[in-house]
Amino acid sequence: MSVTSGPKFDPASRSSALLRRKPVSTMAAEVEHSSLRRSMGLLPLVTLSVGATLGTGIFVVLGEAAPKAGPAVIVSFVLAALAALFSALSYAELAGAVPVSGSAYSYTYATLGELVGWVCGWCLLLEYGVSIAAVAVGWGGYLNSFLETAIGVRIPEALSAPPGDGGVVNLPAAVVVLLAMVVLLGGIRESAAITVITTLFKIAVLVFFVVVAVFAFNSNNLTPFAPMGVAGIATGASSVFFSFVGFDAASTAGEEARNPQRDLPRAIMISLGVVTLAYVLVALTAIGAAGVDTLSGSEASLATVLKLVTGAGWPSTVLAVGAVVAIASVVLAVLYGQTRILVSMSRDGLVPGVFSRVTARRRVPAANTIIIGCVVAVLAALVPLGQLAEATSIGTLVAFGLVNVGVLVLRRTQPELPRGFRTPLMPVTPLIGLALCVLLVFGLAPQTWLAFGAWTLVGLIVYFGYGMRRSRLNE
């Protein structure tokens, strides 16, 4: 289909176009002829999701969220995990029933119609792209911590912080995004192998942190536990929900998993359990060992805790090395997810065809990866962490809410569809997931809502000006 002209579109059919759904059978047929390579088993899928998630909240966002909730930020993590859990159950069913690369975008396209599918996909682009940039910003902080403790030097603030944080450009943040882009261009097998190794390494580093910090645990650091009350806990949960971005990364590998109906639901649930346990243990021991004030505002908060409680430099050096590797793996895994969502959107005709072109040799969407990698690198270099984290949270919550609605619709419209996993306690589970997403989204700052509104408006302009006319469903 021509990218420039597109099919003829009858304006009278505009209203029906907004509600048209892409049949699951059509998606399945496309998957059978996909140019992507099926090479991922359960372990790579689990480590992809854990790799895309673990590290984001603990290594980066904990220091941003602690001042909002006090020590009760531990409860904020649990509340955010519950919201993620109920949404994960819906994700697991849809991933087994619609095993394609588009994740929540494809699920909502099949259940709620093209316009809602587009909005969901547009939110996912915000969620994934901005979270990559936010994590990359935190990577620069830990890289400086490592360099300072290991060889006594730091990257100058002008080159390691964005303009809003007192610098000129965050060069390390841009570099780590570009490195992840290069790895992805090497092929899915190579990328998956690196993800497995780095994920296991960062789990080992977090276990090391918990063991060291627990010996300095002081219960006085947990009082007052909730100085901002329930409102503070809810606000903290809204902020740290960003930390759970990525558990759904396995669902973006639907066309590269060897047994997607069986392995995608398992990978989603296992990864969420691992990540939640790690977040709660590390947050509890970090606050108990050093207190909220020590964590507040630090881009390398865990390394600071270890240096404080041990009085030695080598533990924080170990932690900083782990964080550098861990956060780089998050960038790699989330960048992978974003490119695969764009593959699906491009294949549906809603974005230009360049995003779905796959190279013959490596079987990767090379142009897609290069374009997104460069755009996100610029974003990471110029935008402060706090603004990025909250923008990611709102995009994530909207997408998760739509997934909870989508699983209800698919159960009613196609109850006979084979499913590798069935969400328990229907319809209660997805309704609770939807309610928790609504609760958390209203805890975000007004400026975050304004930014999201502007992003959504741009998305609607793109859809009505480009995507609607060029949609494959016009054929």
Side-chain angles (χ1 to χ4, degrees):
M1 182 184 296
S2 172
V3 172
T4 54
S5 61
K8 293 182 179 180
F9 183 74
D10 179 9
S13 65
R14 185 180 301 272
S15 59
S16 61
L18 301 180
L19 300 176
R20 61 191 175 190
R21 303 171 185 172
K22 185 176 182 181
V24 175
S25 57
T26 301
M27 294 183 179
E30 290 176 348
V31 169
E32 290 300 317
H33 298 88
S34 174
S35 300
L36 299 173
R37 177 179 292 150
R38 289 198 180 278
S39 60
M40 300 177 73
L42 180 60
L43 179 60
L45 289 170
V46 170
T47 54
L48 173 66
S49 285
V50 174
T53 312
L54 189 57
T56 308
I58 286 301
F59 287 110
V60 179
V61 178
L62 182 58
E64 296 283 333
K68 299 177 181 178
V73 72
I74 300 165
V75 180
S76 297
F77 273 109
V78 174
L79 180 58
L82 284 174
L85 171 62
F86 285 101
S87 297
L89 292 168
S90 296
Y91 255 103
E93 175 166 331
L94 291 176
V98 192
V100 295
S101 291
S103 184
Y105 156 73
S106 295
Y107 307 155
T108 52
Y109 200 171
T111 57
L112 302 176
E114 186 170 280
L115 178 61
V116 179
W118 167 264
V119 171
C120 185
W122 195 249
C123 288
L124 288 173
L125 296 183
L126 176 68
E127 168 194 338
Y128 277 73
V130 177
S131 69
I132 297 167
V135 175
V137 171
W139 187 81
Y142 275 99
L143 178 63
N144 254 337
S145 177
F146 166 69
L147 292 175
E148 187 173 23
T149 55
I151 57 177
V153 300
R154 288 180 62 88
I155 300 173
E157 187 174 11
L159 299 178
S160 61
D165 284 347
V168 176
V169 61
N170 193 330
L171 189 59
V175 167
V176 72
V177 175
L178 296 176
L179 287 175
M181 178 190 75
V182 171
V183 172
L184 289 177
L185 290 173
I188 185 58
R189 287 180 179 173
E190 294 76 6
S191 302
I194 291 174
T195 301
V196 170
I197 294 170
T198 54
T199 298
L200 294 176
F201 177 72
K202 66 182 174 184
I203 290 175
V205 169
L206 288 176
V207 170
F208 167 76
F209 173 86
V210 170
V211 171
V212 173
V214 77
F215 285 104
F217 191 89
N218 183 350
S219 59
N220 291 330
N221 287 328
L222 300 179
T223 57
F225 185 69
M228 287 75 174
V230 175
I233 294 173
T235 301
S238 299
S239 298
V240 303
F241 193 83
F242 160 80
S243 311
F244 293 89
V245 173
F247 82 82
D248 59 325
S251 66
T252 67
E255 294 174 35
E256 291 161 287
R258 288 198 293 265
N259 192 341
Q261 284 83 1
R262 183 195 68 185
D263 290 341
L264 291 182
R266 293 181 181 181
I268 290 171
M269 300 310 300
I270 292 171
S271 62
L272 180 60
V274 170
V275 167
T276 301
L277 179 62
Y279 283 169
V280 171
L281 287 178
V282 174
L284 177 62
T285 53
I287 294 173
V292 169
D293 291 340
T294 301
L295 298 174
S296 299
S298 173
E299 288 186 348
S301 54
L302 299 191
T304 303
V305 170
L306 286 186
K307 190 171 184 179
L308 176 67
V309 302
T310 64
W314 70 265
S316 59
T317 301
V318 171
L319 194 285
V321 171
V324 167
V325 173
I327 297 173
S329 73
V330 173
V331 173
L332 174 65
V334 179
L335 185 62
Y336 164 85
Q338 184 173 41
T339 60
R340 270 45 180 186
I341 291 168
L342 275 168
V343 166
S344 290
M345 296 179 74
S346 174
R347 191 165 53 202
D348 292 337
L350 302 183
V351 297
V354 65
F355 290 102
S356 57
R357 293 174 190 164
V358 176
T359 59
R361 182 182 177 188
R362 295 290 184 179
R363 307 278 286 275
V364 296
N368 176 346
T369 304
I370 292 171
I371 293 170
I372 295 303
C374 292
V375 170
V376 175
V378 172
L379 190 65
L382 300 177
V383 182
L385 172 62
Q387 296 176 19
L388 290 170
E390 292 218 346
T392 301
S393 291
I394 195 168
T396 306
L397 288 164
V398 171
F400 283 9
L402 292 175
V403 166
N404 284 300
V405 176
V407 76
L408 290 168
V409 173
L410 196 64
R411 276 286 187 98
R412 177 174 289 273
T413 58
Q414 298 190 55
E416 77 292 343
L417 190 69
R419 291 163 166 85
F421 175 87
R422 297 181 74 87
T423 303
L425 300 176
M426 288 286 285
V428 176
T429 297
L431 289 176
I432 292 176
L434 177 61
L436 288 172
C437 288
V438 172
L439 172 66
L440 294 181
V441 82
F442 281 107
L444 296 171
Q447 57 266 34
T448 303
W449 276 94
L450 289 174
F452 178 71
W455 175 258
T456 303
L457 178 61
V458 171
L460 292 174
I461 292 172
V462 173
Y463 173 71
F464 286 111
Y466 180 94
M468 176 185 281
R469 296 176 180 276
R470 291 168 171 78
S471 170
R472 302 284 181 183
L473 293 187
N474 286 332
E475 299 175 351

